[in-house]
Amino acid sequence: MTRRSFLQTAISSILTMGLGGLFVPHAAAGAKDIRHLRQIVTAQPAKTRMIQWDSPQQLENVRIEQRDSQGRIDRRTPAYTYLSMDDEVQFIYRCEIPAATGSAYRVVHATGATEWIPLLPIHENGQTRVLFFSDSQCGESYDVWGATYQTAWARHPDADCAAIVGDLTDNGESAWHWRAFFEAMEGANSPLARHMHAPVLGNHEYYGLNWTAVPPVRYLKTFALPDNGSRAFRGRYYSFDLDAVHIIVLDTQFLEAEEYGEKLKTEQMDWLNRDAKESTAVWKVVLMHKDILSYGEYQPDQQTNDGISDVGQMFLDTFDTLGIDLVISGHVHAYRRRCIRARQTDARGTLYLLAGPAGNQYFDVRAESYDIAAGPNPTPSNYLYMEADEHRLHIQCEMTDGRLLDEITMHK
């Protein structure tokens, strides 16, 4: 299946109609040179949050101020990293702050300050709520991604976190693509700054300006992610806890990693086994970009276009052994629901959901024999919404026009 062979369809026009007023670039920033203010998950988001932003220049006297419920203000000095790419220079700032209930934060520097932004707590009733998007990549405009993202948050404003399961932008080195991606997520009550986000590496994050595979440098500098203990692959895979849910993020771009692909496979698999076994969470959820099935895309290791993919061959049996409850993937730009154990369809097996697209890239995708439920072909822009507690996990696929595409509930 050619990833760039389909033009934007009329669906994108329908989705964006009347939604342009939902988001206005930079409204949350409120201060010159503070761009794309964002909140990123940490390993224990109930305790801390990572605050990040970009600036075209090094800021003077920059700090994060955190105001508690009594009006007392704590100040922290952020760290930064320097990025020069695609004829642009930017300084990417980061600061981990306590997730104090009732507090708010802002960024202050010599010539301005952002508005105060509430630091929303993880729900204390044991209910975890997460939005999942995949393949937010767009071509000439990120309006469809913006409509999908903003509509999901308008419907589920109490969600704890948003995860984007790979291919955030169309080109991992393009300054314009990253800027357009983030601007679509901002607005008067910017979800980007108010809510936690968990990114996942996709193959497009590995694409350079000439569309060949390169290390995902911009992605890795853009997001300060939980430590995985790796020196070679820091930020490419990680995990975090949301009450009864342990979320594991994997990098499935072994092909794009080229000469480092085999080392990534070995190191990540060792980490995955340790991480999943050490977790005492009721639910174990895996997020990874490439899917366990081929859906017509050529698999170089097996030299086939059908059945279990190269990624599936690597992970299916391990997920069985580790007792993974739910796997969410993307890449294919279609919605599919599967339940698999011992490589057979089994209602008692791991639930595999293929999500997306959240952007404007739509494809004609063939069926696989494991499919239990499928969206329209091509599948319109959509997202997943999950609610989970110690006994129940419910997840549903919603389209931006309000229709419920699919839903399923698991119990323990």
Side-chain angles (χ1 to χ4, degrees):
M1 178 170 58
T2 304
R3 308 302 299 174
R4 299 178 57 82
S5 61
F6 282 78
L7 297 174
Q8 179 174 335
T9 69
I11 297 173
S12 64
S13 299
I14 295 171
L15 294 177
T16 56
M17 189 176 298
L19 292 172
L22 283 176
F23 47 93
V24 180
H26 306 307
K32 184 181 178 181
D33 296 333
I34 305 294
R35 300 179 180 177
H36 314 319
L37 184 59
R38 53 194 180 269
Q39 192 176 145
I40 307 301
V41 294
T42 62
Q44 295 292 335
K47 297 179 179 179
T48 64
R49 308 291 169 80
M50 182 65 71
I51 308 301
Q52 292 193 260
W53 65 93
D54 305 333
S55 178
Q57 60 189 14
Q58 189 172 357
L59 301 173
E60 295 182 11
N61 301 323
V62 64
R63 62 190 181 275
I64 286 239
E65 294 186 345
Q66 188 171 6
R67 183 180 63 191
D68 67 17
S69 57
Q70 304 300 314
R72 294 169 299 203
I73 295 178
D74 185 37
R75 296 173 176 86
R76 288 177 172 79
T77 301
Y80 70 87
T81 186
Y82 173 84
L83 176 66
S84 178
M85 186 175 287
D86 192 16
D87 297 325
E88 282 193 11
V89 168
Q90 65 181 6
F91 294 81
I92 304 173
Y93 287 85
R94 66 188 184 277
C95 187
E96 190 169 351
I97 64 175
T101 301
S103 69
Y105 76 93
R106 69 175 181 174
V107 179
V108 180
H109 66 108
T111 60
T114 68
E115 63 189 46
W116 286 102
I117 299 168
L119 202 63
L120 304 175
I122 299 295
H123 293 280
E124 297 178 353
N125 60 1
Q127 184 85 8
T128 295
R129 301 175 176 91
V130 183
L131 286 164
F132 299 99
F133 306 92
S134 186
D135 299 283
S136 48
Q137 65 183 97
C138 292
E140 296 179 354
S141 169
Y142 279 73
D143 287 351
V144 172
W145 159 236
T148 305
Y149 177 83
Q150 299 287 350
T151 297
W153 277 112
R155 289 183 184 148
H156 304 287
D158 292 332
D160 299 302
C161 177
I164 309 172
V165 191
D167 285 4
L168 284 67
T169 69
D170 205 33
N171 188 285
E173 285 191 338
S174 166
W176 178 85
H177 277 280
W178 280 99
R179 184 166 58 250
F181 164 76
F182 277 129
E183 287 179 352
M185 302 164 72
E186 295 172 330
N189 291 303
S190 172
L192 183 62
R194 292 169 62 91
H195 299 277
M196 293 181 297
H197 290 72
V200 180
L201 270 167
N203 53 297
H204 280 252
E205 277 67 67
Y206 276 83
Y207 288 170
L209 293 174
N210 61 358
W211 297 102
T212 58
V214 297
V217 173
R218 184 180 286 272
Y219 171 97
L220 295 172
K221 291 200 172 188
T222 296
F223 303 110
L225 296 166
D227 186 20
N228 59 15
S230 171
R231 297 184 63 182
F233 303 110
R234 182 181 176 88
R236 302 195 195 204
Y237 54 89
Y238 62 96
S239 65
F240 60 97
D241 289 310
L242 292 172
D243 285 328
V245 182
H246 183 64
I247 296 181
I248 300 168
V249 174
L250 300 179
D251 180 357
T252 54
Q253 279 53 246
F254 310 115
L255 182 64
E256 288 77 16
E258 296 183 326
E259 68 267 27
Y260 300 103
E262 290 303 316
K263 183 178 179 181
L264 174 60
K265 285 181 182 180
T266 301
E267 186 177 297
Q268 183 175 235
M269 185 62 79
D270 290 343
W271 171 87
L272 169 63
N273 277 282
R274 294 194 308 272
D275 182 83
K277 290 175 181 176
E278 289 172 1
S279 173
T280 59
V282 175
W283 303 99
K284 293 182 176 65
V285 176
V286 167
L287 309 181
M288 61 186 199
H289 182 60
K290 291 186 179 178
D291 191 58
I292 49 136
L293 300 178
S294 301
Y295 290 105
E297 185 169 65
Y298 182 70
Q299 305 298 308
D301 289 351
Q302 302 174 85
Q303 299 183 350
T304 182
N305 297 73
D306 300 291
I308 296 173
S309 67
D310 290 346
V311 168
Q313 294 289 354
M314 179 176 180
F315 287 113
L316 278 171
D317 298 337
T318 298
F319 291 160
D320 284 353
T321 300
L322 296 175
I324 302 300
D325 300 288
L326 169 64
V327 176
I328 298 176
S329 56
H331 187 61
V332 181
H333 295 229
Y335 177 78
R336 298 287 192 274
R337 168 160 52 93
R338 299 74 44 96
C339 287
I340 301 174
R341 185 168 68 172
R343 305 196 176 207
Q344 302 292 324
T345 295
D346 187 333
R348 300 166 298 175
T350 299
L351 173 62
Y352 291 89
L353 295 182
L354 179 57
N360 64 8
Q361 304 296 299
Y362 308 107
F363 300 114
D364 183 13
V365 178
R366 69 177 66 174
E368 288 281 2
S369 60
Y370 290 94
D371 293 344
I372 297 173
N377 196 21
T379 299
S381 301
N382 63 83
Y383 58 89
L384 303 175
Y385 174 65
M386 182 188 79
E387 293 184 347
D389 57 30
E390 291 186 353
H391 305 290
R392 174 182 175 272
L393 186 152
H394 178 83
I395 190 164
Q396 57 196 42
C397 180
E398 302 177 5
M399 293 191 287
T400 51
D401 63 6
R403 286 179 291 169
L404 183 64
L405 189 59
D406 189 28
E407 62 181 329
I408 187 169
T409 302
M410 298 186 288
H411 297 276
K412 283 196 176 182

